[in-house]
């Protein structure tokens, strides 16, 4: 009987997400909690380096990932579809609902608490600490924590990739946000208008990539590769009179 109920739940999830236009794939088990308040104001910024999650293209459909999922920041920008596991906690789940979130933060471990009682983000647990509005899309507020089914999906973003240039002379720290497709970035290249070839950038932290060249007074182009191998080129994103602290939207997207 138990196997029949679980099979029914998995079938429901597959059919439900197929109706949403999501291709079928393996579903994995985890748990979810929430943070950041009812308006999600406490979710802004975070370990991926995004600032205002509204201007960076993410809104409230976000989550902080546990250590095993965060992968030292390499998972920043990735998207996951999450369903509350009503087979385990039918009293807390909102049946017939799902949500697709973007990874924008890190949920740190709390080794002072056991993994199954407060140390939800301790390794090796896969865990999503969702924004409160996102959590309340699939479960009741009073639940606090619920078992979930999740899977990696493609990201659908409005508008193009966004580049924010911070740092100082000889140190360009570029935040890359609102990335569609696979969402997770595995490679970035930069080219100034006075350069003859592309130069690879290195990940500094989260979604921030760095260059150690002096690029002042040059228009800047970027080439971005997501982890499925697809690459997009954004030419002359920043004009030659760009300044540190400025953000530039593009028409380029995956």
């Amino acid at each position: 009987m138990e196997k029949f109920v679980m099979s029914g739940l998995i079938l429901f999830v597959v059919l439900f997400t197929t109706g949403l236009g999501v291709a079928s794939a393996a579903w994995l088990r985890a748990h979810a909690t929430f943070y950041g308040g009812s308006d999600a104001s406490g979710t802004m910024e975070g370990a991926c380096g995004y600032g205002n999650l509204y201007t960076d293209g993410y809104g409230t459909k976000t989550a902080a990932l546990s250590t095993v999922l965060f992968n030292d920041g390499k998972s920043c920008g990735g998207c996951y579809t999450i369903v509350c596991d009503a087979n385990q906690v039918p009293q807390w789940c909102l049946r017939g609902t799902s949500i697709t979130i973007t990874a924008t933060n890190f949920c740190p471990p709390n080794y002072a608490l056991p993994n199954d009682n407060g140390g939800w983000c301790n390794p090796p647990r896969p865990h999503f600490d969702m924004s409160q509005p996102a959590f309340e899309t699939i479960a009741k507020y009073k639940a606090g924590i619920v078992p979930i089914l999740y899977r990696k999906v493609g990201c659908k973003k409005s508008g193009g990739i966004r580049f924010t240039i911070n740092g100082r002379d000889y140190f360009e720290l570029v935040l890359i946000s609102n990335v569609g497709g696979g969402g997770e970035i595995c490679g970035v290249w930069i080219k100034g208008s006075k350069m003859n070839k592309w130069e690879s950038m290195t990940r500094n932290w989260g979604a921030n990539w760095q260059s150690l060249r002096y690029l002042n007074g040059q228009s800047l182009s970027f080439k971005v590769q997501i982890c499925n191998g697809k690459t997009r080129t954004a030419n002359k994103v920043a004009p030659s009179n760009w300044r540190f602290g400025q953000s530039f939207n593009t028409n380029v997207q995956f």
Side-chain angles (χ1 to χ4, degrees):
M1 181 63 181
E2 182 179 348
K3 290 183 178 179
F4 174 79
V5 173
M6 178 52 66
S7 298
L9 174 62
I10 298 297
L11 177 62
F12 160 75
V13 170
V14 171
L15 291 175
F16 180 79
T17 53
T18 301
L20 294 175
V22 178
S24 60
W27 288 85
L28 303 173
R29 295 184 181 278
H31 285 78
T33 49
F34 61 88
Y35 78 115
S38 59
D39 61 354
S41 59
T43 65
M44 301 296 136
E45 300 180 353
C48 287
Y50 304 123
N52 185 313
L53 295 179
Y54 287 99
T55 58
D56 282 337
Y58 304 110
T60 63
K61 295 180 179 180
T62 64
L65 307 188
S66 62
T67 302
V68 67
L69 293 175
F70 190 67
N71 194 20
D72 293 324
K74 296 180 180 66
S75 295
C76 289
C79 294
Y80 302 81
T81 294
I82 297 175
V83 179
C84 184
D85 190 349
N87 183 63
Q88 296 192 53
V89 288
Q91 73 276 27
W92 296 125
C93 294
L94 299 180
R95 291 180 177 272
T97 62
S98 72
I99 189 168
T100 297
I101 58 88
T102 304
T104 59
N105 204 353
F106 172 55
C107 181
N110 183 353
Y111 296 113
L113 297 174
N115 290 13
D116 59 353
N117 189 19
W120 311 123
C121 291
N122 293 352
R125 289 179 63 99
H127 189 88
F128 293 82
D129 199 16
M130 305 170 68
S131 74
Q132 184 177 327
F135 181 89
E136 290 187 284
T137 300
I138 61 169
K140 298 175 182 178
Y141 172 87
K142 289 184 178 180
I145 179 171
V146 292
I148 61 167
L149 299 170
Y150 75 94
R151 74 177 187 86
K152 191 73 183 299
V153 296
C155 302
K156 296 180 180 180
K157 301 299 180 185
S158 176
I161 302 171
R162 178 182 173 92
F163 298 85
T164 301
I165 306 173
N166 294 304
R168 59 181 185 277
D169 295 351
Y170 294 98
F171 177 62
E172 292 79 25
L173 185 65
V174 182
L175 171 66
I176 305 173
S177 57
N178 200 46
V179 179
E184 300 172 351
I185 301 172
C186 279
V188 181
W189 294 260
I190 191 170
K191 187 174 183 291
S193 54
K194 298 177 183 179
M195 297 168 58
N196 295 321
K197 61 180 182 179
W198 291 95
E199 183 174 281
S200 61
M201 304 180 74
T202 57
R203 189 190 303 274
N204 185 287
W205 62 283
N208 286 281
W209 293 73
Q210 70 178 42
S211 167
L212 301 179
R213 268 187 173 268
Y214 184 79
L215 296 172
N216 300 45
Q218 302 182 57
S219 60
L220 303 180
S221 300
F222 296 93
K223 187 160 55 174
V224 178
Q225 184 181 58
I226 54 178
C227 296
N228 62 10
K230 293 183 179 180
T231 302
R232 294 289 185 270
T233 301
N235 290 309
K236 296 182 179 179
V237 171
S240 59
N241 63 345
W242 63 268
R243 295 291 183 268
F244 291 106
Q246 288 184 310
S247 295
F248 300 93
N249 295 316
T250 71
N251 294 320
V252 176
Q253 188 56 274
F254 289 94

